[in-house]
Amino acid sequence: SQQGEEDPQALSIQEGENATMNCSYKTSINNLQWYRQNSGRGLVHLILIRSNEREKHSGRLRVTLDTSKKSSSLLITASRAADTASYFCAPGPGGGGFKTIFGAGTRLFVKA
Amino acid sequence: GAGVSQSPRYKVAKRGQDVALRCDPISGHVSLFWYQQALGQGPEFLTYFQNEAQLDKSGLPSDRFFAERPEGSVSTLKIQRTQQEDSAVYLCASSSPGRASGGGDTQYFGPGTRLTVL
């Protein structure tokens, strides 16, 4: 099994600012995914980065992966009030494993 | 269907009652996961199915929890003799194995069932 630990636990920013969230993990991974969860809803997949990739972009999202440091970051640029949510990283286990263990997440609050 | 659906969305049970929570995964998805999410926490893994086979049930908190997926599609999570500590949101997710099988694949989550045990 593999757990991601998100940092910070909570983040409050003004609309238009950038938000950066970090994730650390302990063992080897196949890939790493980021999910968002709005209050009272299920998780929504945002982006997947493979272990042989260092950076990936999707719209206003930028994800980096440093396998030597076993860490990843999620950057949301030009944040909007609608980005207010909890964000979770999910390290995809290597070796054909399937158990995904989520951390407590980062709670992002974007003030309008 | 278009996504993962779960029913009921909300369930209130008296302590000691049995409950059954249903998950309809995306059609054709081989993998199915159940998670328990307490307020303010991340989802905690309960169990994993590959088709009808329950490959991991290590996250089930006690023998009061039981999950099944008899035909490899719809799954039911049953909780017997509910306790107050069972109050949580129960999330179901499904995925279709890609190059990274099982947990490394993108999981599609349902909206969850909020269980409140009085």
Side-chain angles (χ1 to χ4, degrees):
Chain A
S1 58
Q2 174 68 274
Q3 179 170 10
E5 300 278 354
E6 297 88 355
D7 170 67
Q9 289 186 336
L11 182 60
S12 182
I13 59 174
Q14 291 291 138
E15 206 166 31
E17 292 180 340
N18 296 341
T20 299
M21 288 157 270
N22 303 297
C23 169
S24 60
Y25 57 92
K26 290 192 168 67
T27 60
S28 66
I29 60 169
N30 203 343
N31 58 44
L32 187 140
Q33 300 180 64
W34 284 90
Y35 289 83
R36 181 189 73 220
Q37 185 178 36
N38 291 89
S39 182
R41 304 281 184 89
L43 279 70
V44 173
H45 178 257
L46 293 176
I47 195 166
L48 179 152
I49 185 166
R50 301 196 184 282
S51 58
N52 60 355
E53 297 176 312
R54 292 294 167 260
E55 188 170 311
K56 199 161 182 180
H57 297 252
S58 177
R60 293 184 296 113
L61 306 180
R62 181 172 79 99
V63 168
T64 63
L65 179 64
D66 187 335
T67 52
S68 66
K69 294 181 179 176
K70 294 186 168 54
S71 67
S72 173
S73 67
L74 171 67
L75 169 68
I76 304 174
T77 60
S79 63
R80 305 167 182 167
D83 295 328
T84 294
S86 292
Y87 292 81
F88 299 91
C89 69
F98 50 78
K99 195 167 179 175
T100 304
I101 300 184
F102 293 90
T106 292
R107 279 155 197 75
L108 173 65
F109 181 64
V110 181
K111 293 177 278 189
Chain B
V4 178
S5 60
Q6 293 185 246
S7 61
R9 289 293 314 277
Y10 303 91
K11 177 70 179 176
V12 178
K14 290 184 180 177
R15 192 174 58 177
Q17 276 186 331
D18 297 349
V19 298
L21 312 180
R22 178 187 169 106
C23 172
D24 282 85
I26 292 172
S27 178
H29 276 193
V30 168
S31 300
L32 186 146
F33 303 79
W34 282 100
Y35 296 90
Q36 180 190 60
Q37 187 174 26
L39 189 64
Q41 300 297 313
E44 289 201 17
F45 173 86
L46 292 178
T47 187
Y48 165 71
F49 289 87
Q50 193 172 91
N51 296 306
E52 69 278 4
Q54 189 175 20
L55 299 188
D56 190 323
K57 55 182 181 179
S58 62
L60 297 176
S62 76
D63 58 7
R64 296 186 295 104
F65 287 70
F66 172 76
E68 59 182 5
R69 195 185 185 198
E71 296 176 358
S73 55
V74 171
S75 178
T76 304
L77 176 67
K78 297 178 179 176
I79 309 173
Q80 297 176 323
R81 304 181 303 281
T82 53
Q83 304 293 315
Q84 285 188 321
E85 61 262 28
D86 300 335
S87 295
V89 174
Y90 291 85
L91 295 167
C92 174
S94 70
S95 70
S96 181
R99 280 192 288 166
S101 62
D105 297 303
T106 296
Q107 295 181 41
Y108 297 86
F109 283 79
T113 294
R114 181 178 296 277
L115 173 66
T116 303
V117 182
L118 304 176

